[in-house]
mmCIF file of all heavy atoms in Angstrom:
data_model
loop_
_atom_site.group_PDB
_atom_site.id
_atom_site.type_symbol
_atom_site.label_atom_id
_atom_site.label_comp_id
_atom_site.label_asym_id
_atom_site.label_seq_id
_atom_site.Cartn_x
_atom_site.Cartn_y
_atom_site.Cartn_z
ATOM 1 N N VAL A 1 16.525 -37.249 14.151
ATOM 2 C CA VAL A 1 17.353 -37.174 12.943
ATOM 3 C C VAL A 1 18.665 -36.494 13.255
ATOM 4 O O VAL A 1 18.805 -35.788 14.258
ATOM 5 C CB VAL A 1 16.608 -36.396 11.830
ATOM 6 C CG1 VAL A 1 15.386 -37.136 11.347
ATOM 7 C CG2 VAL A 1 16.223 -34.979 12.296
ATOM 8 N N ASP A 2 19.652 -36.704 12.374
ATOM 9 C CA ASP A 2 20.916 -36.015 12.507
ATOM 10 C C ASP A 2 21.546 -35.893 11.129
ATOM 11 O O ASP A 2 20.878 -36.159 10.103
ATOM 12 C CB ASP A 2 21.871 -36.741 13.471
ATOM 13 C CG ASP A 2 22.238 -38.140 13.019
ATOM 14 O OD1 ASP A 2 21.923 -38.521 11.870
ATOM 15 O OD2 ASP A 2 22.857 -38.884 13.825
ATOM 16 N N LYS A 3 22.804 -35.462 11.069
ATOM 17 C CA LYS A 3 23.438 -35.220 9.770
ATOM 18 C C LYS A 3 23.663 -36.496 8.980
ATOM 19 O O LYS A 3 23.926 -36.465 7.779
ATOM 20 C CB LYS A 3 24.770 -34.512 9.961
ATOM 21 C CG LYS A 3 25.822 -35.324 10.686
ATOM 22 C CD LYS A 3 27.129 -34.547 10.831
ATOM 23 C CE LYS A 3 28.202 -35.393 11.517
ATOM 24 N NZ LYS A 3 29.481 -34.652 11.647
ATOM 25 N N GLY A 4 23.525 -37.674 9.647
ATOM 26 C CA GLY A 4 23.619 -38.946 8.965
ATOM 27 C C GLY A 4 22.325 -39.475 8.443
ATOM 28 O O GLY A 4 22.270 -40.522 7.773
ATOM 29 N N SER A 5 21.218 -38.772 8.705
ATOM 30 C CA SER A 5 19.894 -39.188 8.194
ATOM 31 C C SER A 5 19.784 -38.651 6.774
ATOM 32 O O SER A 5 19.824 -37.453 6.521
ATOM 33 C CB SER A 5 18.788 -38.590 9.052
ATOM 34 O OG SER A 5 18.950 -38.919 10.407
ATOM 35 N N ALA A 6 19.604 -39.569 5.809
ATOM 36 C CA ALA A 6 19.634 -39.145 4.393
ATOM 37 C C ALA A 6 18.587 -39.892 3.582
ATOM 38 O O ALA A 6 18.083 -40.934 4.003
ATOM 39 C CB ALA A 6 21.036 -39.399 3.802
ATOM 40 N N SER A 7 18.262 -39.307 2.431
ATOM 41 C CA SER A 7 17.454 -39.988 1.420
ATOM 42 C C SER A 7 16.089 -40.422 1.968
ATOM 43 O O SER A 7 15.256 -39.581 2.310
ATOM 44 C CB SER A 7 18.240 -41.158 0.824
ATOM 45 O OG SER A 7 17.617 -41.704 -0.288
ATOM 46 N N ALA A 8 15.870 -41.733 2.044
ATOM 47 C CA ALA A 8 14.571 -42.230 2.534
ATOM 48 C C ALA A 8 14.263 -41.757 3.941
ATOM 49 O O ALA A 8 13.092 -41.495 4.288
ATOM 50 C CB ALA A 8 14.551 -43.766 2.468
ATOM 51 N N SER A 9 15.297 -41.575 4.757
ATOM 52 C CA SER A 9 15.073 -41.032 6.117
ATOM 53 C C SER A 9 14.525 -39.619 6.039
ATOM 54 O O SER A 9 13.680 -39.216 6.852
ATOM 55 C CB SER A 9 16.387 -41.006 6.914
ATOM 56 O OG SER A 9 16.789 -42.316 7.270
ATOM 57 N N GLU A 10 15.021 -38.880 5.050
ATOM 58 C CA GLU A 10 14.561 -37.480 4.890
ATOM 59 C C GLU A 10 13.164 -37.422 4.313
ATOM 60 O O GLU A 10 12.410 -36.455 4.576
ATOM 61 C CB GLU A 10 15.557 -36.735 4.024
ATOM 62 C CG GLU A 10 16.907 -36.568 4.701
ATOM 63 C CD GLU A 10 17.959 -35.946 3.814
ATOM 64 O OE1 GLU A 10 18.343 -36.582 2.806
ATOM 65 O OE2 GLU A 10 18.412 -34.843 4.110
ATOM 66 N N ILE A 11 12.798 -38.429 3.504
ATOM 67 C CA ILE A 11 11.415 -38.483 3.016
ATOM 68 C C ILE A 11 10.469 -38.700 4.181
ATOM 69 O O ILE A 11 9.491 -37.953 4.374
ATOM 70 C CB ILE A 11 11.246 -39.605 1.962
ATOM 71 C CG1 ILE A 11 12.041 -39.264 0.696
ATOM 72 C CG2 ILE A 11 9.768 -39.826 1.638
ATOM 73 C CD1 ILE A 11 12.021 -40.363 -0.348
ATOM 74 N N VAL A 12 10.711 -39.717 5.014
ATOM 75 C CA VAL A 12 9.834 -40.020 6.128
ATOM 76 C C VAL A 12 9.735 -38.845 7.099
ATOM 77 O O VAL A 12 8.660 -38.398 7.473
ATOM 78 C CB VAL A 12 10.279 -41.280 6.872
ATOM 79 C CG1 VAL A 12 9.473 -41.499 8.151
ATOM 80 C CG2 VAL A 12 10.111 -42.513 5.964
ATOM 81 N N SER A 13 10.907 -38.302 7.504
ATOM 82 C CA SER A 13 10.898 -37.196 8.454
ATOM 83 C C SER A 13 10.263 -35.957 7.844
ATOM 84 O O SER A 13 9.492 -35.240 8.496
ATOM 85 C CB SER A 13 12.310 -36.890 8.955
ATOM 86 O OG SER A 13 13.184 -36.625 7.881
ATOM 87 N N GLY A 14 10.573 -35.687 6.558
ATOM 88 C CA GLY A 14 9.978 -34.526 5.888
ATOM 89 C C GLY A 14 8.487 -34.647 5.700
ATOM 90 O O GLY A 14 7.739 -33.661 5.854
ATOM 91 N N VAL A 15 7.995 -35.849 5.406
ATOM 92 C CA VAL A 15 6.550 -36.083 5.258
ATOM 93 C C VAL A 15 5.843 -35.849 6.599
ATOM 94 O O VAL A 15 4.793 -35.187 6.649
ATOM 95 C CB VAL A 15 6.288 -37.511 4.741
ATOM 96 C CG1 VAL A 15 4.824 -37.894 4.907
ATOM 97 C CG2 VAL A 15 6.698 -37.621 3.270
ATOM 98 N N MET A 16 6.409 -36.377 7.683
ATOM 99 C CA MET A 16 5.801 -36.150 8.986
ATOM 100 C C MET A 16 5.755 -34.693 9.336
ATOM 101 O O MET A 16 4.795 -34.205 9.957
ATOM 102 C CB MET A 16 6.578 -36.937 10.080
ATOM 103 C CG MET A 16 6.565 -38.454 9.901
ATOM 104 S SD MET A 16 4.913 -39.183 9.912
ATOM 105 C CE MET A 16 4.857 -39.866 8.239
ATOM 106 N N GLN A 17 6.795 -33.959 8.960
ATOM 107 C CA GLN A 17 6.819 -32.509 9.207
ATOM 108 C C GLN A 17 5.846 -31.771 8.312
ATOM 109 O O GLN A 17 5.097 -30.888 8.793
ATOM 110 C CB GLN A 17 8.243 -31.974 9.011
ATOM 111 C CG GLN A 17 8.445 -30.535 9.459
ATOM 112 C CD GLN A 17 9.888 -30.099 9.287
ATOM 113 O OE1 GLN A 17 10.418 -30.045 8.195
ATOM 114 N NE2 GLN A 17 10.554 -29.776 10.417
ATOM 115 N N ASP A 18 5.804 -32.086 7.034
ATOM 116 C CA ASP A 18 4.912 -31.387 6.102
ATOM 117 C C ASP A 18 3.437 -31.564 6.412
ATOM 118 O O ASP A 18 2.630 -30.667 6.206
ATOM 119 C CB ASP A 18 5.218 -31.823 4.669
ATOM 120 C CG ASP A 18 6.467 -31.183 4.096
ATOM 121 O OD1 ASP A 18 7.067 -30.360 4.788
ATOM 122 O OD2 ASP A 18 6.831 -31.502 2.936
ATOM 123 N N TYR A 19 3.080 -32.758 6.893
ATOM 124 C CA TYR A 19 1.702 -33.014 7.273
ATOM 125 C C TYR A 19 1.434 -32.714 8.747
ATOM 126 O O TYR A 19 0.334 -32.997 9.231
ATOM 127 C CB TYR A 19 1.328 -34.479 6.963
ATOM 128 C CG TYR A 19 1.108 -34.743 5.499
ATOM 129 C CD1 TYR A 19 1.777 -35.786 4.840
ATOM 130 C CD2 TYR A 19 0.246 -33.974 4.739
ATOM 131 C CE1 TYR A 19 1.592 -36.053 3.518
ATOM 132 C CE2 TYR A 19 0.050 -34.217 3.380
ATOM 133 C CZ TYR A 19 0.728 -35.271 2.786
ATOM 134 O OH TYR A 19 0.522 -35.513 1.439
ATOM 135 N N ASP A 20 2.456 -32.155 9.432
ATOM 136 C CA ASP A 20 2.310 -31.841 10.876
ATOM 137 C C ASP A 20 1.886 -33.068 11.655
ATOM 138 O O ASP A 20 1.100 -32.962 12.602
ATOM 139 C CB ASP A 20 1.327 -30.670 11.082
ATOM 140 C CG ASP A 20 1.751 -29.436 10.318
ATOM 141 O OD1 ASP A 20 2.804 -28.880 10.655
ATOM 142 O OD2 ASP A 20 1.045 -29.042 9.367
ATOM 143 N N ARG A 21 2.427 -34.218 11.249
ATOM 144 C CA ARG A 21 2.033 -35.488 11.889
ATOM 145 C C ARG A 21 2.918 -35.836 13.084
ATOM 146 O O ARG A 21 2.558 -36.646 13.923
ATOM 147 C CB ARG A 21 2.047 -36.592 10.825
ATOM 148 C CG ARG A 21 1.697 -37.978 11.323
ATOM 149 C CD ARG A 21 0.279 -38.007 11.922
ATOM 150 N NE ARG A 21 0.033 -39.279 12.600
ATOM 151 C CZ ARG A 21 0.361 -39.524 13.879
ATOM 152 N NH1 ARG A 21 0.939 -38.605 14.619
ATOM 153 N NH2 ARG A 21 0.043 -40.693 14.422
ATOM 154 N N GLY A 22 4.123 -35.262 13.129
ATOM 155 C CA GLY A 22 5.018 -35.550 14.210
ATOM 156 C C GLY A 22 6.071 -34.474 14.323
ATOM 157 O O GLY A 22 6.253 -33.643 13.395
ATOM 158 N N ILE A 23 6.790 -34.415 15.432
ATOM 159 C CA ILE A 23 7.831 -33.432 15.611
ATOM 160 C C ILE A 23 9.195 -34.040 15.316
ATOM 161 O O ILE A 23 9.412 -35.235 15.578
ATOM 162 C CB ILE A 23 7.819 -32.821 17.036
ATOM 163 C CG1 ILE A 23 8.033 -33.933 18.074
ATOM 164 C CG2 ILE A 23 6.532 -32.086 17.281
ATOM 165 C CD1 ILE A 23 8.284 -33.396 19.468
ATOM 166 N N LEU A 24 10.098 -33.244 14.765
ATOM 167 C CA LEU A 24 11.452 -33.688 14.477
ATOM 168 C C LEU A 24 12.403 -33.109 15.513
ATOM 169 O O LEU A 24 12.334 -31.913 15.826
ATOM 170 C CB LEU A 24 11.880 -33.248 13.072
ATOM 171 C CG LEU A 24 11.525 -34.153 11.889
ATOM 172 C CD1 LEU A 24 10.010 -34.420 11.851
ATOM 173 C CD2 LEU A 24 11.978 -33.534 10.568
ATOM 174 N N ILE A 25 13.301 -33.951 16.035
ATOM 175 C CA ILE A 25 14.253 -33.539 17.057
ATOM 176 C C ILE A 25 15.671 -33.966 16.628
ATOM 177 O O ILE A 25 15.868 -35.079 16.167
ATOM 178 C CB ILE A 25 13.916 -34.191 18.414
ATOM 179 C CG1 ILE A 25 12.513 -33.774 18.873
ATOM 180 C CG2 ILE A 25 14.954 -33.840 19.473
ATOM 181 C CD1 ILE A 25 12.044 -34.503 20.137
ATOM 182 N N GLY A 26 16.625 -33.052 16.816
ATOM 183 C CA GLY A 26 18.004 -33.430 16.527
ATOM 184 C C GLY A 26 18.733 -32.332 15.740
ATOM 185 O O GLY A 26 18.643 -31.159 16.075
ATOM 186 N N GLN A 27 19.416 -32.749 14.689
ATOM 187 C CA GLN A 27 20.187 -31.815 13.840
ATOM 188 C C GLN A 27 19.700 -31.906 12.395
ATOM 189 O O GLN A 27 19.049 -32.874 12.032
ATOM 190 C CB GLN A 27 21.686 -32.148 13.884
ATOM 191 C CG GLN A 27 22.322 -32.024 15.264
ATOM 192 C CD GLN A 27 22.164 -33.304 16.083
ATOM 193 O OE1 GLN A 27 22.388 -34.403 15.582
ATOM 194 N NE2 GLN A 27 21.728 -33.155 17.337
ATOM 195 N N ARG A 28 20.022 -30.870 11.630
ATOM 196 C CA ARG A 28 19.648 -30.848 10.214
ATOM 197 C C ARG A 28 20.154 -32.127 9.507
ATOM 198 O O ARG A 28 21.255 -32.569 9.752
ATOM 199 C CB ARG A 28 20.228 -29.612 9.544
ATOM 200 C CG ARG A 28 19.652 -29.365 8.138
ATOM 201 C CD ARG A 28 20.422 -28.271 7.419
ATOM 202 N NE ARG A 28 20.382 -27.012 8.121
ATOM 203 C CZ ARG A 28 19.412 -26.111 8.065
ATOM 204 N NH1 ARG A 28 18.347 -26.377 7.270
ATOM 205 N NH2 ARG A 28 19.483 -24.988 8.703
ATOM 206 N N THR A 29 19.284 -32.673 8.647
ATOM 207 C CA THR A 29 19.647 -33.904 7.964
ATOM 208 C C THR A 29 20.625 -33.649 6.832
ATOM 209 O O THR A 29 20.978 -32.517 6.512
ATOM 210 C CB THR A 29 18.378 -34.594 7.417
ATOM 211 O OG1 THR A 29 17.761 -33.727 6.454
ATOM 212 C CG2 THR A 29 17.420 -34.927 8.550
ATOM 213 N N TYR A 30 21.050 -34.738 6.187
ATOM 214 C CA TYR A 30 22.146 -34.685 5.210
ATOM 215 C C TYR A 30 21.830 -33.824 4.006
ATOM 216 O O TYR A 30 22.668 -33.049 3.537
ATOM 217 C CB TYR A 30 22.485 -36.117 4.774
ATOM 218 C CG TYR A 30 23.617 -36.226 3.815
ATOM 219 C CD1 TYR A 30 24.924 -36.296 4.285
ATOM 220 C CD2 TYR A 30 23.429 -36.261 2.421
ATOM 221 C CE1 TYR A 30 26.008 -36.411 3.414
ATOM 222 C CE2 TYR A 30 24.484 -36.381 1.560
ATOM 223 C CZ TYR A 30 25.776 -36.437 2.052
ATOM 224 O OH TYR A 30 26.824 -36.542 1.194
#
């Protein structure tokens, strides 16, 4: 993810993080 990841991208990445299903790499999202 990066600062251009927004909206639905943040849902998918946030869900993976909240359920500890995957790791997020990059920069804070939009």
Side-chain angles (χ1 to χ4, degrees):
V1 293
D2 63 9
K3 65 180 182 180
S5 306
S7 189
S9 289
E10 294 174 293
I11 293 175
V12 172
S13 56
V15 166
M16 297 301 117
Q17 189 176 63
D18 282 358
Y19 285 128
D20 303 294
R21 179 60 190 86
I23 60 169
L24 273 56
I25 299 174
Q27 298 85 47
R28 191 189 301 277
T29 61
Y30 183 85

